[in-house]
Amino acid sequence: MNKFSLLYKTYLYEKNIKQLDVAQKLGITGASISKTLKGDNITLDQMVKLADAVDCDLEIKLVPREKS
């Protein structure tokens, strides 16, 4: 599971939102949401739509790595 999916599922759980509710908002099936979140190749467009469906903004940022 990719990092976005893990964060998204955690957010849904914390806010008591069902994947089926998100699917209905997006006009797709619950199976489609599940498949998207289980996959490793989620697109930026998919992430934006999923974030929008739960009234969130999506932030992408570069964070310098710590040097050992």
Side-chain angles (χ1 to χ4, degrees):
M1 179 181 306
N2 61 64
K3 189 174 183 177
F4 174 82
S5 295
L6 182 60
L7 291 170
Y8 194 78
K9 286 183 174 190
T10 300
Y11 182 83
L12 294 182
Y13 176 78
E14 289 173 351
K15 299 297 182 183
N16 198 28
I17 301 170
K18 306 279 187 252
Q19 284 187 28
L20 187 56
D21 296 333
V22 175
Q24 288 175 341
K25 252 187 169 177
L26 294 173
I28 59 177
T29 65
S32 181
I33 289 277
S34 183
K35 182 179 177 183
T36 298
L37 293 175
K38 286 181 182 176
D40 287 329
N41 295 324
I42 190 167
T43 67
L44 180 57
D45 186 52
Q46 289 170 320
M47 288 188 279
V48 169
K49 287 178 182 177
L50 287 167
D52 190 50
V54 292
D55 200 30
C56 287
D57 291 322
L58 179 67
E59 291 184 357
I60 298 174
K61 59 184 176 180
L62 293 174
V63 179
R65 295 181 185 131
E66 293 183 21
K67 295 184 181 184
S68 307

Coordinates of all heavy atoms in Angstrom, one line a residue:
M1 N 0.8 -1.2 0.0 CA 0.0 0.0 0.0 C 0.9 1.2 0.0 O 1.9 1.3 0.7 CB -0.9 0.0 1.2 CG -1.8 1.2 1.3 SD -2.9 1.2 2.8 CE -3.7 -0.4 2.7
N2 N 0.5 2.2 -0.8 CA 1.3 3.4 -0.9 C 1.0 4.4 0.3 O 0.0 4.2 1.0 CB 1.1 4.2 -2.2 CG -0.4 4.6 -2.4 OD1 -0.9 5.4 -1.7 ND2 -1.0 4.0 -3.4
K3 N 1.9 5.3 0.5 CA 1.8 6.2 1.7 C 0.5 7.1 1.6 O -0.2 7.2 2.7 CB 3.0 7.1 1.7 CG 3.1 8.0 3.0 CD 4.4 8.7 3.0 CE 4.5 9.5 4.3 NZ 5.8 10.2 4.4
F4 N 0.1 7.5 0.5 CA -1.1 8.3 0.3 C -2.3 7.5 0.8 O -3.2 8.0 1.6 CB -1.3 8.8 -1.1 CG -2.7 9.5 -1.3 CD1 -2.9 10.8 -0.9 CD2 -3.8 8.7 -1.8 CE1 -4.1 11.4 -1.1 CE2 -5.0 9.3 -1.9 CZ -5.2 10.7 -1.5
S5 N -2.4 6.2 0.3 CA -3.5 5.4 0.7 C -3.6 5.1 2.2 O -4.7 5.2 2.8 CB -3.4 4.1 -0.1 OG -3.6 4.3 -1.4
L6 N -2.5 4.9 2.8 CA -2.4 4.7 4.2 C -2.9 6.0 5.0 O -3.8 5.9 5.9 CB -1.0 4.3 4.7 CG -0.9 4.1 6.2 CD1 -1.7 2.9 6.6 CD2 0.6 3.8 6.5
L7 N -2.5 7.1 4.6 CA -2.9 8.4 5.2 C -4.4 8.6 4.9 O -5.1 9.1 5.8 CB -2.1 9.5 4.7 CG -0.6 9.6 5.1 CD1 0.1 10.7 4.3 CD2 -0.5 9.9 6.6
Y8 N -4.8 8.3 3.7 CA -6.2 8.5 3.4 C -7.2 7.6 4.2 O -8.2 8.1 4.8 CB -6.4 8.3 1.9 CG -7.7 8.8 1.3 CD1 -7.9 10.1 1.1 CD2 -8.8 7.9 1.1 CE1 -9.1 10.6 0.6 CE2 -10.0 8.4 0.6 CZ -10.1 9.8 0.3 OH -11.3 10.3 -0.2
K9 N -6.8 6.4 4.3 CA -7.6 5.4 5.0 C -7.6 5.8 6.5 O -8.7 5.7 7.2 CB -7.1 4.0 4.9 CG -7.5 3.4 3.5 CD -7.0 2.0 3.4 CE -7.5 1.4 2.1 NZ -7.3 -0.1 2.1
T10 N -6.5 6.3 7.0 CA -6.5 6.7 8.4 C -7.4 7.9 8.6 O -8.1 8.0 9.6 CB -5.0 7.1 8.8 OG1 -4.2 5.9 8.7 CG2 -4.9 7.5 10.3
Y11 N -7.3 8.8 7.7 CA -8.2 10.0 7.8 C -9.7 9.6 7.8 O -10.5 10.1 8.6 CB -7.9 11.0 6.6 CG -8.7 12.2 6.7 CD1 -8.3 13.3 7.5 CD2 -9.9 12.4 6.0 CE1 -9.1 14.5 7.6 CE2 -10.7 13.5 6.0 CZ -10.3 14.6 6.8 OH -11.0 15.7 6.9
L12 N -10.0 8.7 6.8 CA -11.4 8.2 6.8 C -11.9 7.6 8.1 O -13.0 7.9 8.6 CB -11.6 7.2 5.6 CG -11.4 7.7 4.2 CD1 -11.7 6.6 3.2 CD2 -12.3 8.9 3.9
Y13 N -11.0 6.8 8.7 CA -11.3 6.1 9.9 C -11.5 7.2 11.0 O -12.5 7.1 11.8 CB -10.2 5.2 10.3 CG -10.4 4.5 11.6 CD1 -11.3 3.5 11.8 CD2 -9.7 4.9 12.8 CE1 -11.5 2.9 13.0 CE2 -9.9 4.3 14.0 CZ -10.8 3.3 14.1 OH -11.0 2.7 15.4
E14 N -10.6 8.1 11.1 CA -10.6 9.1 12.2 C -11.9 10.0 12.1 O -12.4 10.5 13.1 CB -9.4 10.0 12.2 CG -8.1 9.3 12.7 CD -6.9 10.1 12.5 OE1 -6.9 11.1 11.9 OE2 -5.8 9.6 13.0
K15 N -12.3 10.3 10.9 CA -13.5 11.1 10.6 C -14.8 10.3 10.5 O -15.8 10.9 10.2 CB -13.3 12.0 9.4 CG -12.1 12.9 9.5 CD -12.2 13.9 10.6 CE -11.0 14.9 10.7 NZ -11.1 15.8 11.8
N16 N -14.7 9.0 10.6 CA -15.8 8.1 10.5 C -16.5 8.3 9.2 O -17.8 8.4 9.1 CB -16.8 8.4 11.7 CG -17.8 7.2 11.8 OD1 -17.4 6.1 11.5 ND2 -19.0 7.5 12.3
I17 N -15.7 8.3 8.1 CA -16.2 8.4 6.7 C -16.0 7.0 6.1 O -15.0 6.4 6.2 CB -15.5 9.5 5.9 CG1 -15.6 10.8 6.6 CG2 -16.0 9.5 4.5 CD1 -14.7 11.9 6.0
K18 N -17.1 6.5 5.4 CA -17.0 5.2 4.8 C -16.5 5.4 3.3 O -16.8 6.4 2.7 CB -18.4 4.6 4.7 CG -19.1 4.5 6.1 CD -18.5 3.3 6.8 CE -19.3 3.0 8.1 NZ -18.6 3.3 9.3
Q19 N -15.7 4.4 2.9 CA -15.3 4.5 1.5 C -16.4 4.5 0.5 O -16.3 5.2 -0.5 CB -14.4 3.3 1.2 CG -13.0 3.3 1.7 CD -12.1 2.2 1.2 OE1 -12.3 1.6 0.2 NE2 -11.1 1.8 2.1
L20 N -17.5 3.9 0.9 CA -18.7 3.9 0.0 C -19.3 5.3 -0.1 O -19.7 5.7 -1.2 CB -19.8 2.9 0.5 CG -21.0 2.7 -0.3 CD1 -20.6 2.2 -1.7 CD2 -21.9 1.7 0.3
D21 N -19.2 6.1 0.9 CA -19.7 7.5 0.9 C -18.8 8.3 -0.1 O -19.3 9.1 -0.8 CB -19.6 8.1 2.3 CG -20.6 7.5 3.3 OD1 -21.6 6.9 2.8 OD2 -20.3 7.5 4.5
V22 N -17.5 8.1 0.0 CA -16.6 8.7 -1.0 C -16.9 8.3 -2.4 O -17.0 9.2 -3.3 CB -15.1 8.4 -0.6 CG1 -14.2 9.0 -1.6 CG2 -14.8 8.9 0.8
A23 N -17.1 7.0 -2.6 CA -17.4 6.5 -3.9 C -18.7 7.2 -4.5 O -18.7 7.6 -5.7 CB -17.5 5.0 -3.9
Q24 N -19.7 7.3 -3.7 CA -21.0 7.9 -4.1 C -20.8 9.3 -4.5 O -21.3 9.8 -5.4 CB -22.0 7.7 -3.0 CG -22.5 6.3 -2.9 CD -23.5 6.1 -1.8 OE1 -23.6 6.9 -0.8 NE2 -24.2 5.0 -1.8
K25 N -19.9 10.0 -3.7 CA -19.7 11.5 -4.0 C -19.0 11.6 -5.3 O -19.2 12.6 -6.1 CB -18.8 12.0 -2.9 CG -19.4 13.0 -2.0 CD -18.4 13.7 -1.1 CE -19.1 14.8 -0.4 NZ -18.2 15.4 0.6
L26 N -18.1 10.6 -5.7 CA -17.4 10.7 -6.9 C -18.1 10.0 -8.1 O -17.6 10.1 -9.2 CB -16.0 10.0 -6.7 CG -15.0 10.7 -5.7 CD1 -13.8 9.9 -5.5 CD2 -14.7 12.1 -6.3
G27 N -19.2 9.4 -7.8 CA -20.0 8.7 -8.8 C -19.3 7.5 -9.4 O -19.4 7.2 -10.5
I28 N -18.6 6.8 -8.5 CA -18.0 5.5 -8.9 C -18.3 4.4 -7.8 O -19.0 4.7 -6.9 CB -16.4 5.7 -8.9 CG1 -15.8 6.1 -7.6 CG2 -16.0 6.6 -10.0 CD1 -14.3 6.2 -7.6
T29 N -17.9 3.2 -8.1 CA -18.3 2.1 -7.2 C -17.3 2.1 -6.0 O -16.2 2.5 -6.0 CB -18.2 0.8 -7.9 OG1 -16.9 0.5 -8.3 CG2 -19.1 0.8 -9.1
G30 N -17.8 1.4 -4.9 CA -16.9 1.2 -3.8 C -15.7 0.3 -4.1 O -14.6 0.5 -3.6
A31 N -16.0 -0.6 -5.1 CA -14.9 -1.5 -5.5 C -13.8 -0.7 -6.2 O -12.6 -1.0 -6.1 CB -15.4 -2.6 -6.4
S32 N -14.2 0.3 -6.9 CA -13.2 1.1 -7.6 C -12.3 1.9 -6.6 O -11.1 2.0 -6.8 CB -13.9 2.1 -8.6 OG -13.0 2.9 -9.3
I33 N -13.0 2.5 -5.6 CA -12.2 3.2 -4.5 C -11.2 2.2 -3.9 O -10.0 2.5 -3.7 CB -13.1 3.7 -3.5 CG1 -13.9 4.9 -4.0 CG2 -12.4 4.2 -2.2 CD1 -13.2 6.2 -4.0
S34 N -11.7 1.0 -3.6 CA -10.9 0.0 -2.9 C -9.7 -0.4 -3.8 O -8.5 -0.4 -3.3 CB -11.7 -1.2 -2.6 OG -10.9 -2.2 -1.9
K35 N -9.9 -0.6 -5.1 CA -8.9 -1.0 -6.0 C -7.8 0.2 -6.1 O -6.6 -0.1 -6.1 CB -9.5 -1.3 -7.4 CG -8.5 -1.7 -8.4 CD -9.1 -2.0 -9.7 CE -8.1 -2.4 -10.8 NZ -8.7 -2.7 -12.1
T36 N -8.3 1.4 -6.2 CA -7.4 2.5 -6.3 C -6.5 2.7 -5.1 O -5.3 2.8 -5.2 CB -8.2 3.9 -6.5 OG1 -9.0 3.8 -7.7 CG2 -7.3 5.1 -6.5
L37 N -7.1 2.5 -3.9 CA -6.3 2.7 -2.7 C -5.4 1.5 -2.4 O -4.4 1.6 -1.7 CB -7.3 2.9 -1.5 CG -8.0 4.2 -1.5 CD1 -9.0 4.3 -0.3 CD2 -7.1 5.4 -1.5
K38 N -5.7 0.3 -3.0 CA -4.8 -0.9 -2.8 C -3.7 -0.9 -3.8 O -2.7 -1.5 -3.5 CB -5.6 -2.1 -2.9 CG -6.5 -2.4 -1.7 CD -7.3 -3.7 -1.9 CE -8.2 -4.0 -0.8 NZ -9.0 -5.2 -0.9
G39 N -3.8 -0.2 -4.9 CA -2.8 -0.2 -5.9 C -1.6 0.6 -5.5 O -1.6 1.5 -4.6
D40 N -0.5 0.4 -6.2 CA 0.8 1.1 -6.0 C 1.0 2.2 -7.0 O 1.9 3.0 -6.8 CB 2.0 0.1 -6.1 CG 2.1 -0.8 -5.0 OD1 1.7 -0.4 -3.8 OD2 2.6 -1.9 -5.1
N41 N 0.1 2.3 -8.0 CA 0.3 3.3 -9.0 C -0.8 4.4 -9.0 O -1.4 4.7 -10.1 CB 0.3 2.6 -10.4 CG 1.6 1.8 -10.6 OD1 2.6 2.1 -10.1 ND2 1.4 0.6 -11.2
I42 N -1.1 4.9 -7.9 CA -2.2 5.9 -7.8 C -1.6 7.2 -8.5 O -0.5 7.6 -8.3 CB -2.6 6.2 -6.3 CG1 -3.8 7.1 -6.3 CG2 -1.5 6.7 -5.5 CD1 -4.5 7.1 -4.9
T43 N -2.5 7.9 -9.3 CA -2.1 9.1 -10.0 C -2.3 10.3 -9.1 O -3.1 10.3 -8.2 CB -2.8 9.2 -11.3 OG1 -4.2 9.4 -11.1 CG2 -2.6 7.9 -12.2
L44 N -1.7 11.4 -9.5 CA -1.9 12.7 -8.9 C -3.3 13.1 -9.0 O -3.9 13.6 -8.1 CB -0.9 13.7 -9.4 CG -1.0 15.1 -8.8 CD1 -0.8 15.1 -7.3 CD2 0.0 16.0 -9.5
D45 N -3.9 12.9 -10.2 CA -5.3 13.2 -10.5 C -6.2 12.5 -9.5 O -7.2 13.1 -9.0 CB -5.6 12.9 -11.9 CG -7.0 13.4 -12.3 OD1 -7.3 14.6 -12.0 OD2 -7.8 12.6 -12.8
Q46 N -5.9 11.2 -9.3 CA -6.8 10.4 -8.4 C -6.6 10.9 -7.0 O -7.6 11.0 -6.3 CB -6.4 8.9 -8.5 CG -6.7 8.2 -9.8 CD -6.1 6.8 -9.9 OE1 -5.0 6.6 -9.5 NE2 -6.9 5.9 -10.4
M47 N -5.4 11.2 -6.6 CA -5.2 11.8 -5.2 C -6.0 13.1 -5.0 O -6.6 13.3 -4.0 CB -3.7 11.9 -4.9 CG -3.0 10.7 -4.8 SD -1.3 10.9 -4.2 CE -0.5 11.3 -5.7
V48 N -6.0 13.9 -6.0 CA -6.7 15.2 -5.9 C -8.2 15.0 -5.8 O -8.8 15.6 -4.9 CB -6.3 16.1 -7.1 CG1 -7.2 17.3 -7.1 CG2 -4.9 16.6 -7.1
K49 N -8.7 14.1 -6.6 CA -10.2 13.8 -6.5 C -10.6 13.2 -5.2 O -11.6 13.6 -4.6 CB -10.5 12.9 -7.7 CG -10.5 13.6 -9.0 CD -10.9 12.6 -10.1 CE -10.8 13.3 -11.5 NZ -11.1 12.4 -12.6
L50 N -9.7 12.3 -4.7 CA -10.0 11.7 -3.4 C -10.0 12.7 -2.3 O -10.8 12.7 -1.4 CB -9.1 10.5 -3.1 CG -9.3 9.2 -4.0 CD1 -8.1 8.3 -3.9 CD2 -10.6 8.6 -3.6
A51 N -9.0 13.6 -2.3 CA -8.9 14.6 -1.3 C -10.1 15.5 -1.3 O -10.7 15.9 -0.3 CB -7.6 15.4 -1.5
D52 N -10.4 15.9 -2.5 CA -11.6 16.8 -2.7 C -12.9 16.2 -2.2 O -13.7 16.9 -1.6 CB -11.7 17.2 -4.2 CG -12.7 18.3 -4.4 OD1 -12.6 19.4 -3.7 OD2 -13.6 18.2 -5.3
A53 N -13.0 14.9 -2.4 CA -14.2 14.2 -2.0 C -14.5 14.3 -0.5 O -15.6 14.1 0.0 CB -14.2 12.8 -2.5
V54 N -13.4 14.4 0.3 CA -13.5 14.5 1.7 C -13.2 16.0 2.2 O -12.8 16.2 3.4 CB -12.6 13.5 2.5 CG1 -13.2 12.1 2.2 CG2 -11.2 13.6 2.1
D55 N -13.3 16.9 1.3 CA -13.2 18.3 1.6 C -11.8 18.6 2.2 O -11.6 19.3 3.2 CB -14.3 18.8 2.5 CG -14.4 20.3 2.5 OD1 -14.1 20.9 1.5 OD2 -14.8 20.9 3.5
C56 N -10.7 18.1 1.5 CA -9.4 18.3 1.9 C -8.6 18.9 0.8 O -8.9 18.6 -0.4 CB -8.7 17.0 2.4 SG -9.3 16.4 4.0
D57 N -7.5 19.6 1.1 CA -6.5 20.0 0.1 C -5.4 19.0 0.1 O -5.1 18.3 1.1 CB -5.9 21.4 0.4 CG -6.9 22.5 0.2 OD1 -7.8 22.4 -0.7 OD2 -6.9 23.4 1.0
L58 N -4.8 18.8 -1.1 CA -3.6 17.9 -1.2 C -2.4 18.7 -1.3 O -2.3 19.6 -2.1 CB -3.8 17.0 -2.4 CG -2.7 16.0 -2.7 CD1 -2.6 14.9 -1.6 CD2 -2.8 15.4 -4.1
E59 N -1.4 18.5 -0.4 CA -0.2 19.2 -0.4 C 1.0 18.2 -0.8 O 1.0 17.1 -0.2 CB 0.1 19.8 0.9 CG -0.8 20.9 1.3 CD -0.4 21.6 2.6 OE1 0.6 21.1 3.3 OE2 -1.0 22.6 3.0
I60 N 1.8 18.7 -1.7 CA 3.0 17.9 -2.0 C 4.1 18.8 -1.8 O 4.2 20.0 -2.3 CB 2.9 17.4 -3.5 CG1 1.7 16.5 -3.7 CG2 4.2 16.8 -3.9 CD1 1.5 16.1 -5.2
K61 N 5.1 18.3 -1.1 CA 6.3 19.2 -0.8 C 7.6 18.4 -0.8 O 7.6 17.2 -0.6 CB 6.1 19.9 0.5 CG 5.9 19.0 1.7 CD 5.7 19.8 3.0 CE 5.4 18.9 4.2 NZ 5.2 19.6 5.4
L62 N 8.6 19.1 -1.1 CA 10.0 18.5 -1.0 C 10.5 18.8 0.4 O 10.5 19.9 0.8 CB 10.9 19.1 -2.1 CG 10.5 18.8 -3.5 CD1 11.4 19.5 -4.5 CD2 10.6 17.3 -3.8
V63 N 11.1 17.7 1.0 CA 11.6 17.9 2.3 C 13.1 17.3 2.2 O 13.3 16.2 1.8 CB 10.9 17.1 3.3 CG1 11.5 17.1 4.7 CG2 9.4 17.5 3.4
P64 N 14.1 18.2 2.5 CA 15.4 17.7 2.4 C 15.7 16.5 3.3 O 15.1 16.4 4.4 CB 16.3 18.9 2.9 CG 15.4 20.0 2.8 CD 14.0 19.5 2.9
R65 N 16.4 15.5 2.8 CA 16.8 14.3 3.6 C 17.8 14.7 4.6 O 18.7 15.5 4.4 CB 17.3 13.2 2.7 CG 16.2 12.7 1.7 CD 16.8 11.6 0.8 NE 15.8 11.2 -0.1 CZ 16.1 11.1 -1.4 NH1 17.3 11.3 -1.9 NH2 15.1 10.8 -2.3
E66 N 17.7 14.0 5.7 CA 18.8 14.1 6.7 C 20.0 13.4 6.2 O 19.9 12.2 5.7 CB 18.3 13.6 8.1 CG 17.2 14.4 8.7 CD 16.8 13.8 10.0 OE1 17.6 13.1 10.7 OE2 15.7 14.1 10.5
K67 N 21.2 14.0 6.4 CA 22.4 13.3 6.0 C 23.0 12.6 7.1 O 23.1 13.1 8.3 CB 23.4 14.3 5.4 CG 22.9 15.0 4.2 CD 23.9 16.0 3.6 CE 23.3 16.6 2.4 NZ 24.2 17.5 1.7
S68 N 23.4 11.3 6.9 CA 24.0 10.5 7.9 C 25.4 10.8 8.1 O 26.2 11.0 7.3 CB 23.8 9.0 7.6 OG 22.5 8.7 7.3

